[in-house]
Amino acid sequence: MTVSSTGTLFGLGVGPGDPELITMKALRLLRAVPVIAYPAPEQGDSLARTIVASHLPGGQAEIAMRMPMVASRFPAQEVYDRAAEEIGDHLAAGRDVAVLCEGDPFFYGSFMYLFERMAADFSVEVVPGVSSLTACAAALEAPLAARNDVLTVVPATLPADDIAVRLNTADAVALIKVGRHFGKVRSILDSLGLTAYARYVQHATMASQIVLPLDAVTPEEVPYFSMILVHRRGQAWR
Ligand SMILES: C[S@@+](CC[C@H](N)C(=O)[O-])C[C@H]1O[C@@H](n2cnc3c(N)ncnc32)[C@H](O)[C@@H]1O
C-alpha cells in the first residue's frame, strides 16, 4: 500500500465580502492549514485575504499571487505558473495549502487557473462559497429568479450585440464584471426598455455596499466588484 504524504490543495470559497458569510468548513480549513495563497493586485491588499483577515490564526505562510493590472482579457499566466510551482513545493513537502477565493471558487473564479495546473498531480478539494449572485439578490431584497424563470449570467465585457441577445432571451439576467463597461450596458438596457427593471449593486455584503437604480449611478465611479440584476417580470424600480 502506498501512503501519500503530499498535502492537499483547497480552493476555499470565502464568500462575497461579509466575513460572516464563510462556511463552517471553509473556516475550519482556513484555520488549520499551514499555508494560504490568494490573488492580489500588483500593489495593495488582496480582497480575498481582507475578507478572512479577522479569522486568521497567525503564523501561516502566505503566498500573494500578484496580478499585473493590464487591460488584457487574459490573466497573467506566468503568475499562475510561478504560484503553481511555489504551492506545489509546499504540497510535495506534505503541507496543505488553502487558496482563498472571493465568492465561490468555480463561479468565474481565477482558482480554475491553478486547478488546471495542479489537479493531475495533487489532491485538490474545492470548498464552495456564497457567490456574489446570491449576495447581490439579497442586497436588492428581490428574488434572483423564480418558478420557470431562465437565469442568464452575462459578463459585461462581451460585445454589445451579444449582451443584447442574452438580455432579450432570458427572464432574469445577472450582468457581472460591470466596472468600466457600465455605460455600454446602460445604453443596451435603455434601448431594450429594460432600465426600469434593472438595479445596480456594488460591494455586496461589504461595509461599503451600495444599491442604486441605474439613473443614480455615476459611470466613472463604477468599481469592478459591481453587478446589475435585471428581471423582466420583476418589479419596476422607477
Ligand atoms: C471574476 S468574477 C468572480 C465571482 C466570484 N467568484 C463569485 O462567486 O461571486 C468577479 C465579478 O463578480 C461580481 N462580484 C463579486 N463579488 C461581488 C460583490 N461583493 N458585489 C458585487 N459584485 C460582485 C462582480 O460583477 C465582479 O466583476
Side-chain angles (χ1 to χ4, degrees), residues 24-196:
M24 292 177 76
K25 180 165 186 172
L27 186 58
R28 174 177 60 77
L29 290 166
L30 175 72
R31 288 178 166 157
V33 294
V35 184
I36 59 171
Y38 41 80
E42 216 158 13
Q43 277 162 1
D45 296 336
S46 152
L47 175 60
R49 190 192 184 285
T50 302
I51 290 171
V52 301
S54 60
H55 300 309
L56 293 174
Q60 293 166 310
E62 299 194 18
I63 301 170
M65 298 180 281
R66 296 207 173 266
M67 299 295 150
M69 288 291 118
V70 287
S72 154
R73 282 187 62 220
F74 299 100
Q77 297 299 326
E78 323 82 63
V79 175
Y80 291 112
D81 286 344
R82 272 204 310 276
E85 229 172 89
E86 200 176 340
I87 291 169
D89 288 345
H90 282 292
L91 297 173
R95 290 185 285 276
D96 292 339
V97 179
V99 176
L100 313 182
C101 309
E102 193 264 343
D104 180 273
F106 275 171
F107 179 69
Y108 292 92
S110 57
F111 181 69
M112 60 162 277
Y113 299 112
L114 286 174
F115 183 84
E116 68 189 11
R117 282 167 172 76
M118 311 199 72
D121 299 323
F122 296 100
S123 152
V124 181
E125 189 181 331
V126 176
V127 180
V130 175
S131 94
S132 55
L133 264 192
T134 47
C136 287
L140 283 173
E141 299 176 350
L144 183 61
R147 295 183 285 273
N148 290 332
D149 284 345
V150 173
L151 169 68
T152 302
V153 178
V154 180
T157 43
L158 288 175
D161 288 350
D162 295 354
I163 295 174
V165 169
R166 305 291 179 174
L167 278 165
N168 258 331
T169 50
D171 305 299
V173 177
L175 289 146
I176 63 168
K177 304 185 185 180
V178 178
R180 63 196 169 85
H181 300 278
F182 179 86
K184 172 179 70 180
V185 171
R186 172 72 207 257
S187 307
I188 301 165
L189 289 166
D190 285 350
S191 67
L192 296 175
L194 289 173
T195 304

Side-chain angles (χ1 to χ4, degrees), residues 3-38:
V3 178
S4 162
S5 58
T6 55
T8 295
L9 173 63
F10 295 98
L12 222 61
V14 299
D18 179 345
E20 290 191 342
L21 288 176
I22 186 170
T23 64
M24 292 177 76
K25 180 165 186 172
L27 186 58
R28 174 177 60 77
L29 290 166
L30 175 72
R31 288 178 166 157
V33 294
V35 184
I36 59 171
Y38 41 80

